[in-house]
C-alpha cells in the first residue's frame, strides 16, 4: 500500500503524552477519528499510535484500543469512515445495530411466568395493581442491540499480525473503563489485576450503555458503560505522571440561544430556536449531554489542583454547532460528512486557540504547524470548498481572533463590568 506522505517526519517528541477518549456512541467515534486526524496533522511531532498511555470510555474505548495497537488516525478513518481499508480492518456501522436476539428471547420467555405471578399477587396477596405490574418490568430487555457482534468485530480487528487482543502484550499502557453493575464501581480493564481480560471484551463492556446494549458478563460479574462513573477517566493517565494529556469529548450540551454570529459563518446549518420543539428525544439528548458534561467540568477543575505538573488539553465540539447535536450517524454519507465536519471544526478550534495552545505546547517541545492550519484547501475526505471571497476569509479570521480573545482575556470582576 503506498504511503500517503513522502516528506520526512519531524524529530520524535520526547514528552510523555497520554490520550483520554470519552464516549458518545457511533457519533462519538466518528467525531474522535475526525478530530484526531486534524490533531495529527497539526502536531506532526506527535505519533498518536505511539503515545505513553491511552484511556478509553464507551465508544472511545474502540478508538483507544486501535491506536494502542499501532493504527494511525488516518487508518481508522479509512476503516471506519471511508471503507477503503484492507478487508480485515473494515468496520461497518451496521455492526452496532444487530438485535440482541438472545436477550430479547430470554426476556420474552419469562413474560408468561411473570404475568402469572403478578396476577396471583394481585388477586390473593393484596398487592396493588401498580405493584403487580411492576413485576412485569423484569420482562423488559436490558438492551436491544447485541454487544457480541461488536466484540467479534474488535477481536477480528486486533487479530491482524502486529496487533494483540491481550493488554499484557501491548507496548503502551491501555486502560478501558467499564462500570461494575452490581457494585457501581469502576472497572479499569488493562490495569494490573484487570489485564487478563481480552481487549475486545473490555471494549464491549465499556460501551454497553444500558437500554442500548445488555450488560456484559466477564468472570461472573456484569459490566456496563464506563461513562456511568466518569466522563473521561483521565485520572488514570494523570496518575502515571505524564507531561501532557490530550482529552477528546464528543458530547456537549447544545446552546440554542447563542448569538447568530457563529452560525452564519458556519455555512447555514439548521437553527434550533427552542429545544422543546424537538420533542422528547431532543430534550433527553440535551439532558444526558448536560449531565455528563457537568461531571467533566468538575473533573477538569480538579485535575488542575491535583496534578499541577501535567498539562491537560481538552478538545470537544462547539456548543453552538447544531450539526453535531442533530446528527444521524448510521448512514454512509452521514458518516463521511460528520467526520469531515469534526476534522474542519477541530482545525478551526486549533486556529482560534492558537496563541494559548502554542504557549502550553512549547513547554513540551511541541509546536503547531501553522502552514497546515492555515491551508484552507486541506480536507479529510476531499471536496472541501475553501472560502471563496476575501471578505469571507476576513470574517472567518475575525471570528477566530474574537474566540482567541475570549480564551486569553480573564473575566472582568463584577464591579469593574458595571458602567461608570
Amino acid at each position: 500500500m503506498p504511503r500517503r506522505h513522502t516528506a520526512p517526519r519531524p524529530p520524535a517528541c520526547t514528552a510523555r503524552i497520554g490520550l483520554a477518549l470519552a464516549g458518545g456512541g457511533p457519533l462519538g467515534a466518528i467525531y474522535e477519528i475526525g478530530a484526531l486526524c486534524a490533531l495529527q496533522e497539526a502536531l506532526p511531532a506527535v505519533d498518536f499510535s505511539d503515545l505513553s498511555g491511552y484511556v478509553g470510555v464507551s465508544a472511545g474505548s474502540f478508538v483507544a484500543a486501535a491506536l494502542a495497537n499501532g493504527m494511525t488516525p488516518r487508518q481508522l478513518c479509512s476503516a471506519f469512515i471511508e471503507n477503503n481499508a484492507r478487508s480485515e480492518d473494515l468496520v461497518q456501522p451496521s455492526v452496532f445495530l444487530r438485535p440482541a436476539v438472545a436477550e430479547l428471547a430470554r426476556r420474552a420467555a419469562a413474560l408468561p411466568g411473570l404475568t402469572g405471578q403478578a396476577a396471583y399477587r394481585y388477586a390473593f396477596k393484596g398487592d396493588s395493581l401498580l405493584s403487580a405490574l411492576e413485576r412485569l418490568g423484569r420482562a423488559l430487555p436490558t438492551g436491544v442491540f447485541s454487544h457480541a457482534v461488536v466484540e467479534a468485530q474488535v477481536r477480528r480487528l486486533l487479530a491482524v499480525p502486529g496487533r494483540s487482543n491481550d493488554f499484557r502484550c501491548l507496548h503502551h499502557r491501555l486502560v478501558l473503563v467499564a462500570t461494575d453493575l452490581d457494585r457501581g464501581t469502576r472497572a479499569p480493564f488493562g490495569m494490573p489485576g484487570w489485564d487478563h481480560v481480552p481487549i475486545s471484551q473490555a471494549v464491549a463492556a465499556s460501551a454497553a450503555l444500558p437500554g442500548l446494549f445488555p450488560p456484559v458478563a466477564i468472570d461472573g460479574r456484569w459490566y456496563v458503560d464506563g461513562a456511568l462513573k466518569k466522563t473521561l477517566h483521565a485520572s488514570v493517565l494523570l496518575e502515571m505522571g505524564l507531561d501532557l494529556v490530550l482529552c477528546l469529548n464528543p458530547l456537549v450540551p447544545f446552546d440554542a440561544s447563542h448569538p447568530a454570529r457563529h452560525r452564519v459563518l458556519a455555512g447555514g446549518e439548521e437553527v434550533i430556536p427552542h429545544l422543546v420543539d424537538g420533542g422528547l428525544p431532543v430534550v433527553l439528548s440535551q439532558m444526558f449531554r448536560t449531565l455528563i458534561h457537568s461531571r467533566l467540568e468538575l473533573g477538569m477543575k480538579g485535575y488542575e489542583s491535583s496534578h499541577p505538573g501535567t498539562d491537560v488539553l481538552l478538545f470537544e465540539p462547539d456548543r453552538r454547532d447544531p450539526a453535531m447535536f442533530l446528527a444521524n450517524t448510521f448512514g454512509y454519507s452521514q458518516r463521511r460528512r460528520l467526520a469531515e465536519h469534526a476534522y474542519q471544526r477541530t482545525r478551526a478550534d486549533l486556529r482560534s486557540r492558537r496563541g494559548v495552545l502554542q504557549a502550553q505546547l512549547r513547554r513540551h517541545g511541541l509546536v503547531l504547524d501553522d502552514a497546515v492550519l492555515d491551508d484552507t484547501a486541506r480536507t479529510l475526505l476531499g471536496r472541501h470548498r475553501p472560502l471563496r471571497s476575501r471578505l469571507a476569509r476576513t470574517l472567518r479570521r475575525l471570528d477566530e481572533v474574537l474566540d482567541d480573545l475570549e480564551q486569553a482575556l480573564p473575566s472582568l470582576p463584577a464591579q469593574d463590568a458595571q458602567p461608570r
Side-chain angles (χ1 to χ4, degrees):
M1 182 176 179
R3 295 175 61 88
R4 285 180 177 267
H5 303 288
T6 58
R9 289 183 60 86
C13 174
T14 58
R16 301 184 67 222
I17 302 174
L19 179 66
L21 300 174
L27 171 64
I30 291 168
Y31 168 81
E32 288 174 346
I33 292 171
L36 284 168
C37 287
L39 290 170
Q40 179 71 88
E41 292 178 356
L43 294 168
V46 178
D47 185 349
F48 280 84
S49 61
D50 189 24
L51 300 180
S52 298
Y54 303 84
V55 60
V57 182
S58 192
S61 65
F62 164 78
V63 179
L67 293 171
N69 266 279
M71 292 187 72
T72 66
R74 277 285 180 176
Q75 286 175 321
L76 273 170
C77 183
S78 294
F80 192 72
I81 309 299
E82 297 179 274
N83 283 137
N84 64 2
R86 53 188 180 183
S87 60
E88 61 267 28
D89 283 353
L90 293 180
V91 180
Q92 298 289 343
S94 59
V95 75
F96 298 101
L97 295 175
R98 303 286 177 85
V101 176
E103 169 71 4
L104 296 173
R106 183 171 70 88
R107 299 290 174 171
L111 184 58
L114 291 171
T115 302
Q117 294 174 25
Y120 173 78
R121 297 190 66 86
Y122 175 70
F124 301 106
K125 293 294 184 179
D127 283 5
S128 67
L129 179 61
L130 182 60
S131 297
L133 291 176
E134 284 178 349
R135 183 172 293 270
L136 299 180
R138 301 179 185 180
L140 294 175
T142 55
V144 295
F145 301 124
S146 173
H147 54 66
V149 184
V150 176
E151 192 275 334
Q153 171 67 66
V154 177
R155 185 171 7 104
R156 180 171 66 87
L157 190 72
L158 301 185
V160 174
R163 303 173 191 165
S164 177
N165 199 25
D166 190 331
F167 286 101
R168 297 164 295 187
C169 295
L170 298 179
H171 300 296
H172 316 90
R173 169 70 75 188
L174 171 66
V175 179
L176 307 178
V177 184
T179 302
D180 187 314
L181 180 61
D182 292 319
R183 295 173 177 169
T185 55
R186 183 181 74 171
F189 294 110
M191 296 291 285
W194 299 86
D195 53 4
H196 65 286
V197 176
I199 293 173
S200 57
Q201 285 190 20
V203 170
S206 181
L209 181 64
L212 290 182
F213 296 95
V216 176
I218 299 177
D219 295 341
R221 304 202 65 83
W222 296 92
Y223 297 94
V224 294
D225 198 312
L228 270 66
K229 288 294 293 181
K230 287 183 179 180
T231 303
L232 264 177
H233 292 276
S235 57
V236 172
L237 299 175
L238 295 173
E239 291 163 5
M240 294 172 56
L242 302 183
D243 303 308
L244 175 65
V245 174
L246 305 175
C247 303
L248 270 67
N249 172 50
L251 298 183
V252 297
F254 178 64
D255 182 0
S257 65
H258 196 277
R261 171 174 62 90
H262 190 276
R263 293 185 197 149
V264 172
L265 293 176
E269 293 100 336
E270 180 177 353
V271 175
I272 310 173
H274 301 289
L275 294 185
V276 70
D277 296 335
L280 182 61
V282 170
V283 172
L284 290 179
S285 176
Q286 180 76 335
M287 181 187 72
F288 177 71
R289 290 164 178 260
T290 302
L291 285 173
I292 64 173
H293 200 266
S294 64
R295 295 187 308 173
L296 172 64
E297 291 173 337
L298 289 174
M300 295 296 290
K301 291 179 181 178
Y303 299 153
E304 294 176 4
S305 58
S306 63
H307 297 83
T310 302
D311 281 321
V312 182
L313 301 182
L314 175 65
F315 299 91
E316 55 187 8
D318 193 320
R319 294 190 186 196
R320 303 161 293 184
D321 184 359
M324 295 300 296
F325 184 71
L326 297 171
N328 173 13
T329 63
F330 294 102
Y332 178 69
S333 61
Q334 288 284 310
R335 197 160 79 256
R336 289 177 58 89
R337 183 180 66 82
L338 289 170
E340 183 71 49
H341 185 80
Y343 171 82
Q344 296 295 347
R345 288 301 174 88
T346 301
R347 284 168 47 81
D349 181 33
L350 289 168
R351 289 192 297 266
S352 70
R353 294 196 284 163
R354 180 164 12 202
V356 176
L357 291 175
Q358 288 282 32
Q360 293 174 304
L361 292 170
R362 284 196 186 98
R363 292 200 287 266
H364 309 289
L366 299 173
V367 62
L368 290 171
D369 190 326
D370 289 329
V372 166
L373 288 179
D374 293 330
D375 181 1
T376 59
R378 184 175 289 265
T379 68
L380 178 66
L381 302 173
R383 300 184 65 183
H384 172 65
R385 294 181 179 179
L387 296 176
R388 294 179 179 178
S389 69
R390 180 180 299 177
L391 175 61
R393 292 193 297 269
T394 301
L395 287 174
R396 191 194 67 176
R397 184 56 185 158
L398 176 61
D399 187 59
E400 294 169 2
V401 170
L402 291 173
D403 285 341
D404 205 15
L405 286 173
E406 290 175 358
Q407 293 284 339
L409 294 178
S411 299
L412 289 173
Q415 63 269 24
D416 292 340
Q418 299 296 326
R420 296 181 183 273

